[in-house]
Amino acid sequence: MSQGDFFRIRKSFLIGFTGLTLFFTSSCGYNTIQVQDEQVKAAWSEVINMYQRRADLIPNLVNTVKGYAAQEKEVLIEVTRARAGVGSVQATPEVLNNPELFAKFNQAQGQMTSALSRLMVVVEKYPDLKSDKSFIGLQAQLEGTENRIAVARNRYITSVQEYNITVRTFPNVITAKIFGYDIKPNFSVENEKEISKPPQVQF
C-alpha cells in the first residue's frame, strides 16, 4: 500500500467516524438531553435567585414591624426562625438530582411562606404600620418577589416536565441511562388534601 492510499483510507475513516458520531448524538437524544438539562439548571437558578431576594428582605420587614407590634413576639420569632431554616438548606446543584434534598428545600421555603402569611395577618391589627411609607415600600417589594417566585417556579416546572419526558421516552431513555441522566424532582403542593376541600364562606 502506497503512502497516498494510506492517507486516503485514513481520511475516509475519519469522515465516516465523524458522520456516525454526529448521527448517533443527534438521533439518540443526547443533544436534546444536554439542552434541556441546562434549561432546568437555568430555571432552578432563577428560583433560587427569587428565594434569596425574599430572604434578604425579611430582616427589614421584621425590624419595621417590631416597633409597632412588640407584643407579637412569637410571630416575629417564627419568621426569623423560618429564615434561618431556609439558610440551613444549601441550594447546591445536587438538590436537583436528589428528591430528598429537594423536598427538604421545598419544605423550608413553605415554612417561610406560612410564617410570612401569619405576619401579614398581625400587621392588619396596626393601622399606623399599614400607612407607614417604609412598610408600604417593603410590602410592595415582598409582593413583587412572591409573584416573581411563582413565575420562576412555573418556568422550572415546565423545564423539568420537558426534560423528564425526554429522558423517559425511547430511544432517549437508553442514552440517559448510559450517561447517568435521571428524572429530576419537581414542585408539588404540600397541602393537596386540604385545598381539595371546598372553601367555607361565612358572613
Side-chain angles (χ1 to χ4, degrees):
M1 180 185 298
S2 66
Q3 190 174 12
D5 292 337
F6 173 76
F7 284 119
R8 275 196 296 275
I9 292 173
R10 192 177 72 166
K11 184 178 180 182
S12 299
F13 174 76
L14 289 174
I15 292 174
F17 179 76
T18 304
L20 284 174
T21 302
L22 291 174
F23 175 78
F24 175 76
T25 54
S26 62
S27 63
C28 69
Y30 179 80
N31 289 341
T32 303
I33 293 174
Q34 295 297 316
V35 170
Q36 292 182 348
D37 184 54
E38 288 301 319
Q39 288 173 341
V40 170
K41 290 177 181 174
W44 176 248
S45 295
E46 185 61 17
V47 171
I48 298 299
N49 186 32
M50 289 301 107
Y51 277 140
Q52 184 60 53
R53 175 187 168 93
R54 181 173 70 172
D56 291 341
L57 288 172
I58 298 305
N60 293 332
L61 177 65
V62 170
N63 287 332
T64 304
V65 176
K66 267 183 180 176
Y68 290 86
Q71 67 270 39
E72 305 288 355
K73 286 183 180 177
E74 289 187 7
V75 177
L76 296 174
I77 291 173
E78 184 181 354
V79 173
T80 304
R81 284 178 178 168
R83 184 185 182 279
V86 167
S88 66
V89 181
Q90 297 297 318
T92 59
E94 286 74 22
V95 172
L96 284 179
N97 300 316
N98 189 323
E100 189 176 340
L101 286 177
F102 186 88
K104 190 175 180 182
F105 175 85
N106 201 25
Q107 183 181 18
Q109 294 296 341
Q111 289 172 348
M112 171 74 89
T113 301
S114 177
L116 283 176
S117 298
R118 281 193 283 277
L119 179 60
M120 289 306 165
V121 172
V122 170
V123 167
E124 292 297 319
K125 298 179 182 178
Y126 301 92
D128 292 342
L129 174 59
K130 287 190 292 184
S131 61
D132 184 78
K133 287 183 180 179
S134 61
F135 179 78
I136 292 173
L138 193 57
Q139 187 182 32
Q141 290 190 51
L142 278 172
E143 289 174 351
T145 301
E146 293 299 322
N147 291 333
R148 291 172 185 171
I149 288 173
V151 172
R153 282 169 59 105
N154 187 50
R155 287 175 179 166
Y156 175 79
I157 290 170
T158 303
S159 299
V160 170
Q161 181 188 27
E162 293 174 353
Y163 169 86
N164 286 345
I165 289 174
T166 298
V167 299
R168 293 182 64 184
T169 51
F170 186 82
N172 304 329
V173 64
I174 298 174
T175 307
K177 293 293 182 185
I178 292 174
F179 291 97
Y181 287 94
D182 206 348
I183 59 172
K184 295 185 185 297
N186 213 335
F187 289 115
S188 60
V189 179
E190 294 182 358
N191 56 342
E192 185 175 353
K193 187 176 180 180
E194 183 179 337
I195 63 176
S196 64
K197 299 176 184 175
Q200 294 182 350
V201 181
Q202 296 179 344
F203 295 99

